[in-house]
Amino acid sequence: MNHYQAMVTRSVDKAIHSQMETLQRGELAPGEVLVQAHYAGVNYKDCLSLHGAARIITQFPRVAGIEVVGKVLESRSDQFRPGDMVLSHGFQRGIDVDGGFAELVQAPAEHLQALPPGLSAEQVAILGVPGFTAAMALERFEELGLKPDSGLVAISGAGGAVGRLAIHMLHRAGYRTAALTRNLSNEAALRALGASEVIDISQVIDSKRPIEKPQFAAGIDNVGGAVLSWMLRSLSDGGLLASVGNASGNTFDGSVLPFIMRRAQMFGIVANAPWPQRRRLWDRLAGDWRPDFAALQPDVRFIPPDELLVHARRQLEGGTSGRTVVRFGAAA
Ligand SMILES: NC(=O)c1ccc[n+]([C@@H]2O[C@H](COP(=O)([O-])OP(=O)(O)OC[C@H]3O[C@@H](n4cnc5c(N)ncnc54)[C@H](OP(=O)(O)O)[C@@H]3O)[C@@H](O)[C@H]2O)c1
């Protein structure tokens, strides 16, 4: 396979364009592995990259896609052999090095891991970065002493990929969750995933109160801005807030009151985790945090590579929900 299809993002006269192109594969350097992509999850960041909606990629041309699941075709590393099924996410893939939106992905062996035992390639792709990110937040909550009987856990951007997976995983781990969404038409789906409450976030975020009724033992925020501010003001005593995303923007207004009145603790999640944590959390995702994949099925959509650009535009406009994964021909 000397030629392959890839979604290539280029900068032309400072405007960003992405299109499917035929590329020629390069030589494998010592320690590198050639992976035939089967699946590549579509993350919010990828949508920004494909349409140049934020400065994610800085050197062009580039193949976007921060994650990939596939089969080793060739290897110049003794860690992997042809036929092995592997997963890669992070390590600046799809940003500083070519990413998952291509039939072939070349990567150093130290950026790859074998699929966790007990999860199929399709199941790993359904979880991908969003599932791993939710697992990072849950692990941190546990380290900080959160328990299922601590109280309600709020999850914003609930209709999105991280939101839905977080609701489902926390529910399976015994927590009660409140889904914060702008879109109440998702209510039945969010309850089916395990949400105990569904809150229309647009009805509450305009409050000007310096501190709100304490109602959440913890929160996972995927949105930023006024949503993050409201969640922080609504934490109960000792409440924990994981800042994960910026779907509504990078900034937020706030005061010290949640910290000095309610001992709030806020921390950030970065999915580009170090190796021991990657292996540990993927093992948990295959083990005690394994989702009920049948319950996730209505929230997952597989698309062919040529639908990627249209999908990414809709995801940026908030017109999609759940998890979308590109399925390549090799997965069939
Ligand atoms: N820190 C990390 O390592 C990490 C890892 C993964 C993802 N992220 C970030 O986390 C965020 C969520 O990722 P995702 O994959 O779940 O994205 P997604 O599938 O596109 O979902 C984002 C959700 O946020 C809500 N939303 C979107 N625009 C909004 C707006 N203007 N105001 C309020 N709510 C809005 C929507 O939920 P409703 O329709 O329910 O309101 C939407 O479904 C993104 O910012 C992503 O970049 C960060």
Side-chain angles (χ1 to χ4, degrees), residues 15-33:
I16 303 301
H17 293 284
S18 300
Q19 61 180 21
M20 293 301 291
E21 295 184 14
T22 303
L23 301 182
Q24 185 160 14
R25 57 161 287 199
E27 287 295 307
L28 280 191
E32 278 193 329
V33 175

Side-chain angles (χ1 to χ4, degrees), residues 62-83:
R62 178 68 65 228
V63 176
I66 63 173
E67 57 178 272
V68 66
V69 177
K71 184 161 82 175
V72 173
L73 282 187
E74 291 175 28
S75 174
R76 293 195 66 190
S77 155
D78 47 17
Q79 286 184 57
F80 297 101
R81 286 189 303 198

